[in-house]
Amino acid sequence: LSRSMHKIMPPFIRYCLGVVFSLLLSTASSFSPYQTVPFSSRATIARLPSSSQSSSPLLLANQVNNDDDDDDDNEQPPTPPQDADTKDANDDAVTALERARVLSYRAAIGASALLLSIQAVGDVGVLEGTGLDLNTLLAEQSTSTLPLASGITLLLCPVPSNRIVEFGVLSLGIITMGLGLYSGSMIDVGDTGTTAGGIIEESLSWTFAMVSLMAISVREIWYFGAAYKTECGITLVTLPWMLDLNGRVPFTIPACALGMSVLAAGKVFEPCREDLIRSNSEFMAK
């Protein structure tokens, strides 16, 4: 029996020792810090859904910040508001009707300047001794032609979009034109203004013509600035001294004629759109 146990025990003991050794090895390997991840576990981690990663608060905060930065980069600066009452000074679009009105206005300014220049020649007596008699011509144009031209000029000039200004300009222009037409008709029928009524009518038509020219000068200074329209300042200084046809201050007509002539000559070099907007002569800086 002892021999049989001796023969049986060594293999059994070896088997038990092998099992115990395997258990100890597996236990020791489970507590090792250098444990390797099986291949199947690595594949599982690599296949983790993106939702599990984005659920982290830090990842969510970074994603929101990145989205905000993208929105800031794509945003454009706000467009500054434009004034609805005025046109853009850089806008070259001028309609045919506006261009015709501006050109007619400038032609009327030239006609008024020419008539004042003729009055200035007669006022300073340049043609004295030449045998030319301009008294009849000067009397006719001062009471009829000049009021008619100044009234037409005032009616054609562009003004700001204001009802009071538009009504005032329209009324003054129509009255001045009417007085010029009436005085011209009285001259045609032979009333040369020798009566008291004729003298009053002539003086009134001349006065309204001067007031119309003053309104035109104020308009030019308002649109282009006093620094650029110095000639209009000259006319504004001299015109009040010319309101009375028979009691005007000497040499005021030549000074006013000079200012109107410079104004008419300067209009040749101004773009048409400058008479439609208030730009303070910004085109001179271009």
Side-chain angles (χ1 to χ4, degrees), residues 139-244:
E140 180 178 353
Q141 76 167 22
S142 63
T143 58
S144 62
T145 310
L146 182 59
L148 184 62
S150 60
I152 293 175
T153 305
L154 188 60
L155 290 175
L156 290 174
C157 70
V159 294
S161 298
N162 185 284
R163 292 183 179 180
I164 298 177
V165 175
E166 292 175 350
F167 177 77
V169 169
L170 182 63
S171 301
L172 181 58
I174 291 176
I175 292 173
T176 306
M177 284 183 57
L179 290 173
L181 292 173
Y182 179 75
S183 298
S185 64
M186 296 301 294
I187 293 176
D188 291 338
V189 299
D191 187 0
T192 58
T194 56
T195 62
I199 295 175
I200 293 175
E201 291 169 359
E202 288 181 356
S203 179
L204 190 62
S205 62
W206 170 269
T207 301
F208 270 87
M210 298 301 103
V211 174
S212 297
L213 294 179
M214 290 175 64
I216 293 170
S217 299
V218 171
R219 183 262 175 198
E220 290 293 321
I221 293 176
W222 172 261
Y223 269 72
F224 295 92
Y228 181 67
K229 294 296 181 179
T230 309
E231 65 275 12
C232 294
I234 296 175
T235 58
L236 284 178
V237 172
T238 57
L239 282 171
W241 301 97
M242 299 166 51
L243 293 177
D244 188 1

Side-chain angles (χ1 to χ4, degrees), residues 10 22 27 70 78 89 92 119 121 128 130 133 144 150 180 192 195 207 214 228 246 257 268 283:
S22 299
T27 304
D70 294 338
D92 295 331
Q119 288 285 337
V121 171
E128 290 183 358
T130 59
D133 187 9
S144 62
S150 60
T192 58
T195 62
T207 301
M214 290 175 64
Y228 181 67
N246 299 316
V268 177
F283 72 98

Side-chain angles (χ1 to χ4, degrees), residues 2-101:
S2 60
R3 287 183 179 179
S4 60
M5 291 298 294
H6 179 74
K7 292 179 180 179
I8 296 172
M9 286 300 292
F12 178 77
I13 291 173
R14 288 195 298 270
Y15 176 77
C16 291
L17 290 176
V19 172
V20 172
F21 182 78
S22 299
L23 291 174
L24 291 175
L25 183 61
S26 61
T27 304
S29 62
S30 62
F31 291 98
S32 176
Y34 302 101
Q35 181 182 1
T36 58
V37 180
F39 180 80
S40 60
S41 300
R42 293 178 184 176
T44 304
I45 293 175
R47 291 194 298 269
L48 286 176
S50 59
S51 60
S52 63
Q53 296 179 1
S54 61
S55 61
S56 175
L58 294 177
L59 294 176
L60 289 174
N62 292 332
Q63 184 177 2
V64 171
N65 292 332
N66 292 332
D67 293 340
D68 293 340
D69 294 339
D70 294 338
D71 294 340
D72 294 338
D73 295 337
N74 294 329
E75 288 182 357
Q76 296 180 355
T79 303
Q82 297 181 352
D83 190 1
D85 296 333
T86 58
K87 296 181 179 179
D88 188 6
N90 296 325
D91 187 10
D92 295 331
V94 178
T95 63
L97 184 61
E98 291 175 339
R99 187 180 299 275
R101 179 181 181 181

